[in-house]
Amino acid sequence: MILCGYSAKIADVETAFLHGKLEEEIYMECPLGMKEVGLGDVNSEEDAVLLLQSIYGTVQSARQYFKKAVRILKDIGFTGGEVDPCLFWRKSNKGTCYIALYVDDNLLVGDPAAIDEVIELLRSKGFILKVEDKLTDYLSCEIVLSKDRKKAWLGQPHLIANLEKKFGDKVKNLRTYKTPGTPNLNMIHNTDESQAISREDQKIVSIRSWDVTLSRQTFETRYCKSS
C-alpha cells in the first residue's frame, strides 16, 4: 500500500453469517413466539424447525459465509485465493483493488476509484456494508500513517499496556522495539528442564508472541511490504 501509493478502506459485512447456504439438513428446536406470529400450534417437545439458511450459532456459519463471499468475489472479477485463501485482487479500467478477508471484515487496498467500484458491486450482490474510509485500526492493530503516506506505524499499544499492568516490574525495564519483533532472533523449543522459565514468564512470552504474530502476519506478510 505504501510502496504503490494506494488508498485503503475497511468494509464490514453486516449480519454476514446469515448469507451462507446450508449443505446439510439441520433441525433446531422451535423458537418461542411461533404461535403468536401465525405459524400454528407448536409442541416444543415433539416439533422441530428445518433450517433453510445459515444462522448464527451453527458450526457451519463462518465456513458457509466464506464460501459465498469467495464466489461473489470471483463473480465480480476477482482472482486469487490459491496461495493465501483470504487474499484476492481485481483489475479494471478504474484501477487495481486488493481485498483481504478476515471473517466479515474486509480490507480493501488499491486505487480509490477501483475500491469504490468494488464496494458498489458487493452491495449489488446483497451485502450490506459498513464502510470506514480511514484506515486507523484493523484487527486490533493501530495504524498511523505519515502525512505524506510514505511511512506507517503498526502496533498494539493496548496489549503492551495490559502487559505492563499485569506483570509490572517484570517488564518495565525490558528493551522496546520499533519493529514488531527482534530482527534475526528466532524462538526455539527448550529441551533443558533446568532452564525452563516460570508459568508467569511463559504468559509474558505468550502475550508478546501474539502481538508479534498478529502484527506481522496481518500487515507485513499479507498487505504492507515494509520499506
Side-chain angles (χ1 to χ4, degrees):
M1 183 178 82
I2 294 175
L3 293 178
C4 297
Y6 285 147
S7 297
K9 292 184 179 182
I10 297 173
D12 175 64
V13 180
E14 297 185 1
T15 62
F17 289 178
L18 301 183
H19 289 279
K21 300 293 184 181
L22 292 174
E23 299 173 356
E24 305 89 355
E25 192 173 90
I26 300 177
Y27 292 85
M28 64 174 282
E29 294 180 355
C30 296
L32 298 176
M34 292 184 64
K35 182 177 180 180
E36 285 74 11
V37 296
L39 296 178
D41 294 327
V42 175
N43 187 325
S44 60
E45 295 183 358
E46 297 181 2
D47 296 329
V49 175
L50 173 64
L51 292 182
L52 302 178
Q53 190 83 4
S54 175
I55 64 172
Y56 283 81
T58 58
V59 296
Q60 300 92 344
S61 57
R63 181 190 66 194
Q64 297 309 114
Y65 161 71
F66 177 77
K67 285 183 177 181
K68 181 168 184 177
V70 170
R71 184 168 62 252
I72 287 176
L73 288 177
K74 292 189 175 181
D75 286 346
I76 63 177
F78 276 87
T79 57
E82 288 81 20
V83 177
D84 187 325
C86 299
L87 182 61
F88 300 84
W89 61 91
R90 177 181 185 268
K91 291 186 178 182
S92 69
N93 57 1
K94 294 188 178 181
T96 301
C97 179
Y98 295 87
I99 185 168
L101 307 181
Y102 190 88
V103 194
D104 56 352
D105 290 323
N106 305 289
L107 175 62
L108 295 95
V109 175
D111 298 299
I115 292 175
D116 291 339
E117 181 183 35
V118 169
I119 289 173
E120 292 308 312
L121 287 171
L122 291 175
R123 284 174 170 159
S124 71
K125 293 294 185 177
F127 283 162
I128 299 174
L129 302 179
K130 178 183 177 183
V131 179
E132 296 181 24
D133 293 325
K134 293 184 178 180
L135 186 62
T136 58
D137 180 273
Y138 187 59
L139 304 184
S140 298
C141 282
E142 184 178 334
I143 306 168
V144 180
L145 292 169
S146 61
K147 291 183 179 180
D148 59 6
R149 300 182 65 84
K150 293 183 178 180
K151 296 180 181 180
W153 177 87
L154 311 172
Q156 296 174 297
H158 63 288
L159 281 183
I160 303 301
N162 290 338
L163 190 70
E164 293 173 344
K165 181 179 179 181
K166 187 170 183 178
F167 298 102
D169 294 338
K170 278 184 169 290
V171 298
K172 71 177 183 179
N173 294 321
L174 294 181
R175 179 182 175 184
T176 58
Y177 299 94
K178 294 182 179 180
T179 59
T182 307
N184 302 318
L185 180 63
N186 299 316
M187 298 178 65
I188 61 174
H189 180 68
N190 176 45
T191 57
D192 186 352
E193 290 298 329
S194 65
Q195 298 184 15
I197 62 176
S198 66
R199 280 285 184 182
E200 190 175 49
D201 289 338
Q202 288 179 25
K203 292 180 181 179
I204 297 175
V205 173
S206 177
I207 293 174
R208 287 297 296 126
S209 296
W210 171 253
D211 182 21
V212 171
T213 301
L214 184 60
S215 298
R216 281 190 168 170
Q217 179 182 6
T218 303
F219 293 101
E220 290 188 15
T221 304
R222 290 188 176 182
Y223 317 128
C224 299
K225 295 181 180 178
S226 57
S227 57

